[in-house]
Amino acid sequence: MRGHLTYLLGQLKVSKVTAHWYTLAVMGEPSGKVGFAGLRLEVLKGPREGEVFSFVDGEITIGRDPSNHIPLLDSLVSRRHCALRSDGATFEIVDLDSRNSTFVNGVSVTKHTLLPGDQIRVGNSMFVLRMADRASSTSAAPGSDGLGDSATFILKKQDAVYLRTDAEVPATERTVKDLRVLLEFSRTLNAVQGMVALERKVVEALLELAPAERVALVFTQDMEEFGEVRGWDRRLGPDQRLHISETILRRVLDENIAVVCNDIAGDEGLRDAESIITARILSVLAVPLEVQGKVLGAIYLDANAQGVRFDAELLELVTALGNVVALAIENARQLEWLGGENERLQQELDIVHDMVGESEGIQSVKQFIGRVAGNDSTVLVLGESGTGKELVARAIHRNSSRANKPFMAINCAAITDTLLESELFGHEKGAFTGAVAQKKGKLETAEGGSVFLDEIGELAPGLQAKLLRVLQEHEFERVGGTRTIPLNIRLIAATNRDLKEASAKKEFRSDLYYRLNVVSVKMPPLRERRKDIPILATFFAKQYAEKLKRAIRGISAEARGALIAYDWPGNVRELENAIERAVVLGSTEMILPEDLPESVLEQSGPDGRTATALHDGIREAKRVLIERAIDQAGGNYTEAARILGVHANHLFRLIRTLDMQPKRKRA
């Protein structure tokens, strides 16, 4: 924008004679000529209906652009639509290559000599040429800076002189001043940071440039109901309630045009705006804030002082200012959004937790915790056994507003259905044999805090129904009781089952599944986060070394290779047990391959070698035994597993870990 303004300033190299001519044309000075035969132009239909214009010799233009002598607020009218010309003897109308043609007495014309009584149609407007009747007519000199007291101008962005690179800007004192204002305004906004400071700077500049009483920046997101907005009053200062013309503002936003109206009370389309009339608003100027095809809102100015008018030149200037302001607002919003997003991501990562690891999978889980911890939504944690689902639940609780309240963890698969109901909901005295006193359940004990239900897929149907009521009604009854007890808890559930599939098979209530699955996260198995295996192993080694009072310096490279190569079907829990075993059974300050469980050493390392020569021999012996059993069973793996004294699944696992090729069953 600044470069374009500099370009326009450089183009202002025209003679003083040209500048003087421009002033005469726009301001409507009579140029010393006599009126032509007392003709006048009456508006029969259209936005200027009822107005009457008298003429002087020369050229009078009609069009949508405010610079025309008779501007028309009409989308069917071209920027410069037609011209009425007189040489002192004849009076003719000339179509200026308009988009929708000019019509005289219903016939499309390119050039036509006019006579009194001829009807001219331009867009939706109908004019009639008549002989002047000075006793009964009111006239407005065409081109008189606003066409009488009811002047209305429109301006489209593509027609704005200061925004067009091909524009020929006349070097009047006002245009030179306006362009310098635009350039300085652009420089000022570049130095402003933050939306609040930006809005204040824009309003201050507008009050300095325009004879407005009030100024408002109205944004589209605030315009669900806009009969009243907050703005700046020249006398009362900021944050004042302003009554605005919804009709004008809607058109500005819907059609992306700039509008000036200098007679609100006299405009039929605005007479129903009671609040505007009551406030005695006389003039309104509204300009869209548009950037890259997106309308952000509008600049809105009004005035109620007699004699204050917003002219076409001011509309041009404020339209150009709006272009600069819209870009600055969009940039400021983007910066604020980026700053907020950075802060949000930082908060997501800066959470209290006990999870160990740096892999992408575990980082994604940490971000999830940061996003959901701050609200009370029910969370469903999915994943295989041993992946750390309870750690996620505890981290959500510790980073929530309930952190200073109880956290209750219950394993639904570890307790029988009868005892689990009492464990969850409590019971009244005498509710069943052995119920010698009233007992509060875990749900009631956790009031205000969080409850973690692990292995919720194992919950009995009856308990599923009772839990559903807790989630829906936030209340429950103790076993054997009749009193309803209100409950305020956050529920976090976990399962290693596919609850969606289970609900489809009628093995789990679908309505409970949907209540649980508000937000969910899946814990990645350890085999999918091998990057974390050495980190976890070192963490557990240090933890158990301190607990068992053993000096452990680290894990040998061979042992680390074996740990990474293993698939860990038991996930982190199995890894923890393996390291605890190594610390207990190890005889040196380093954890060696022989300290690890046999199952870990059965699997080759990443380089294809086994961990030790001893286990290499053991692996080979296992191969021989398995091949012999399969041959003896005639290729029947179930029979071979029986011969070896193992389960068929275990046999297949051995074949897989030993990299053996299964033999086909003999015919």
Side-chain angles (χ1 to χ4, degrees):
M1 180 65 193
R2 285 177 55 187
H4 178 52
L5 295 175
T6 306
Y7 165 80
L8 287 175
L9 283 169
Q11 300 302 306
L12 295 175
K13 298 177 181 178
V14 295
S15 67
K16 293 182 179 178
V17 176
T18 304
H20 178 63
W21 174 86
Y22 175 81
T23 304
L24 294 180
V26 173
M27 302 307 294
E29 295 185 13
S31 304
K33 294 193 177 183
V34 183
F36 175 68
L39 288 174
R40 63 186 178 130
L41 195 63
E42 294 181 4
V43 187
L44 302 178
K45 178 183 176 184
R48 314 303 297 272
E49 182 177 346
E51 296 186 47
V52 181
F53 304 101
S54 297
F55 298 104
V56 294
D57 295 342
E59 179 177 272
I60 305 302
T61 59
I62 300 175
R64 195 178 68 251
D65 195 291
S67 62
N68 288 284
H69 301 92
I70 304 178
L72 296 176
L73 187 64
D74 187 342
S75 60
L76 296 178
V77 177
S78 298
R79 194 170 62 85
R80 285 176 56 81
H81 198 101
C82 62
L84 288 82
R85 296 168 179 167
S86 171
D87 59 5
T90 60
F91 200 84
E92 64 181 14
I93 187 168
V94 179
D95 185 78
L96 301 177
D97 296 322
S98 65
R99 186 174 65 253
N100 293 312
S101 300
T102 301
F103 297 83
V104 176
N105 300 324
V107 179
S108 175
V109 299
T110 302
K111 180 185 290 187
H112 184 80
T113 300
L114 294 172
L115 296 173
D118 284 345
Q119 290 190 349
I120 304 165
R121 181 162 65 84
V122 178
N124 289 314
S125 295
M126 183 70 75
F127 302 85
V128 62
L129 192 65
R130 299 189 189 280
M131 295 296 294
D133 180 3
R134 296 182 183 179
S136 62
S137 66
T138 58
S139 65
S144 64
D145 147 75
L147 299 173
D149 292 336
S150 60
T152 300
F153 306 105
I154 66 167
L155 179 64
K156 290 192 174 182
K157 187 173 180 179
Q158 62 266 30
D159 298 330
V161 174
Y162 297 142
L163 300 180
R164 290 168 50 197
T165 57
D166 61 340
E168 295 180 5
V169 184
T172 65
E173 181 180 348
R174 179 163 181 172
T175 55
V176 173
K177 178 183 175 182
D178 286 351
L179 289 170
R180 294 196 184 280
V181 166
L182 285 170
L183 189 59
E184 185 58 34
F185 184 70
S186 179
R187 288 173 179 160
T188 302
L189 287 193
N190 284 340
V192 176
Q193 294 183 348
M195 278 294 296
V196 175
L198 177 64
E199 290 179 21
R200 185 184 183 93
K201 183 64 68 176
V202 171
V203 169
E204 288 175 350
L206 290 169
L207 285 174
E208 184 177 347
L209 295 171
E213 299 296 325
R214 287 157 295 277
V215 175
L217 295 179
V218 187
F219 298 108
T220 51
Q221 66 265 30
D222 301 327
M223 297 175 61
E224 295 292 331
E225 300 177 358
F226 60 4
E228 189 178 89
V229 298
R230 295 279 176 177
W232 193 300
D233 187 286
R234 187 181 291 276
R235 292 183 301 103
L236 302 177
D239 200 28
Q240 302 297 318
R241 293 189 302 175
L242 306 184
H243 294 288
I244 65 174
S245 170
E246 183 172 347
T247 304
I248 289 179
L249 203 53
R250 285 289 183 199
R251 184 163 188 189
V252 166
L253 295 172
D254 293 345
E255 299 183 23
N256 193 17
I257 58 173
V259 174
V260 160
C261 183
N262 282 312
D263 186 9
I264 296 295
D267 192 310
E268 290 186 0
L270 301 175
R271 288 175 187 167
D272 59 343
E274 184 177 344
S275 60
I276 307 299
I277 304 302
T278 303
R280 297 182 178 178
I281 304 300
L282 300 178
S283 300
V284 168
L285 185 152
V287 168
L289 295 171
E290 183 264 339
V291 59
Q292 297 178 347
K294 179 172 67 174
V295 178
L296 308 179
I299 293 173
Y300 186 89
L301 296 81
D302 69 33
N304 56 7
Q306 291 289 341
V308 173
R309 300 170 60 77
F310 301 141
D311 58 24
E313 286 78 8
L314 179 62
L315 188 65
E316 285 275 5
L317 176 59
V318 179
T319 299
L321 285 173
N323 194 63
V324 179
V325 171
L327 185 59
I329 288 174
E330 183 69 4
N331 289 339
R333 284 181 174 179
Q334 288 294 325
L335 284 174
E336 287 190 354
W337 181 84
L338 289 172
E341 186 72 2
N342 182 59
E343 183 179 347
R344 183 184 68 80
L345 292 173
Q346 192 63 39
Q347 289 175 350
E348 289 178 4
L349 294 175
D350 189 23
I351 58 174
V352 181
H353 63 88
D354 294 324
M355 292 180 291
V356 177
E358 299 176 355
S359 64
E360 290 183 6
I362 208 68
Q363 292 296 338
S364 178
V365 173
K366 291 177 184 178
Q367 290 177 12
F368 173 84
I369 294 170
R371 288 196 297 271
V372 304
N375 57 65
D376 278 344
S377 299
T378 303
V379 179
L380 181 61
V381 187
L382 307 170
E384 300 175 6
S385 296
T387 51
K389 296 189 289 294
E390 185 171 341
L391 290 180
V392 174
R394 290 186 180 277
I396 291 173
H397 173 74
R398 289 167 64 184
N399 291 277
S400 72
S401 58
R402 300 174 179 267
N404 60 344
K405 298 293 183 179
F407 176 86
M408 293 290 173
I410 305 169
N411 189 326
C412 300
I415 308 174
T416 61
D417 295 343
T418 305
L419 292 178
L420 181 58
E421 183 177 11
S422 175
E423 191 74 9
L424 283 173
F425 302 102
H427 61 257
E428 299 289 352
K429 180 180 179 181
F432 50 83
T433 303
V436 295
Q438 184 193 78
K439 176 189 174 183
K440 289 185 177 181
K442 292 289 181 70
L443 296 179
E444 191 174 355
T445 305
E447 173 67 21
S450 305
V451 174
F452 174 60
L453 298 182
D454 196 7
E455 304 300 344
I456 197 168
E458 308 304 320
L459 207 61
L463 291 180
Q464 290 179 30
K466 296 193 71 171
L467 181 60
L468 180 62
R469 184 190 175 193
V470 169
L471 293 175
Q472 289 179 328
E473 308 297 336
H474 304 287
E475 61 185 25
F476 72 102
E477 294 175 1
R478 297 192 190 104
V479 177
T482 57
R483 183 170 65 92
T484 300
I485 302 171
L487 187 64
N488 174 25
I489 61 165
R490 180 181 193 170
L491 185 67
I492 306 170
T495 181
N496 59 7
R497 294 182 60 187
D498 186 340
L499 292 187
K500 186 175 183 179
E501 182 181 346
S503 63
K505 294 179 178 179
K506 308 298 182 183
E507 297 173 358
F508 194 86
R509 292 184 65 113
S510 58
D511 48 3
L512 177 58
Y513 166 66
Y514 293 123
R515 277 286 179 178
L516 293 172
N517 193 36
V518 177
V519 287
S520 62
V521 62
K522 184 175 182 180
M523 289 297 294
L526 192 54
R527 62 183 173 275
E528 293 180 6
R529 41 183 289 222
R530 294 186 187 274
K531 177 182 177 180
D532 292 336
I533 292 175
I535 301 173
L536 284 163
T538 302
F539 172 80
F540 291 135
K542 181 180 179 181
Q543 186 180 65
Y544 284 106
E546 291 176 358
K547 181 179 179 180
L548 300 172
K549 310 298 183 191
R550 275 210 58 199
I552 299 293
R553 289 192 298 110
I555 303 171
S556 70
E558 293 82 1
R560 187 181 294 109
L563 292 172
I564 294 173
Y566 186 52
D567 280 342
W568 300 105
N571 292 294
V572 179
R573 187 180 293 122
E574 184 183 4
L575 174 61
E576 181 180 1
N577 293 339
I579 297 301
E580 181 182 8
R581 176 185 185 277
V583 172
V584 171
L585 298 180
S587 55
T588 67
E589 292 183 344
M590 296 292 290
I591 293 179
L592 303 173
E594 52 263 35
D595 301 328
L596 299 175
E598 189 74 21
S599 57
V600 175
L601 298 174
E602 286 176 351
Q603 201 157 318
S604 299
D607 56 0
R609 296 176 300 170
T610 49
T612 65
L614 172 63
H615 287 92
D616 189 30
I618 294 174
R619 286 169 62 85
E620 187 58 35
K622 286 181 178 180
R623 286 175 186 271
V624 172
L625 287 172
I626 291 171
E627 288 176 351
R628 187 179 300 165
I630 292 174
D631 286 340
Q632 186 177 342
N636 187 312
Y637 288 97
T638 303
E639 179 63 20
R642 189 190 65 77
I643 294 171
L644 292 169
V646 297
H647 193 277
N649 290 342
H650 183 54
L651 174 60
F652 282 113
R653 181 184 162 205
L654 284 171
I655 292 172
R656 195 166 53 249
T657 56
L658 293 171
D659 290 332
M660 296 176 64
Q661 295 296 326
K663 296 181 179 180
R664 296 190 180 188
K665 184 176 180 179
R666 294 174 183 173

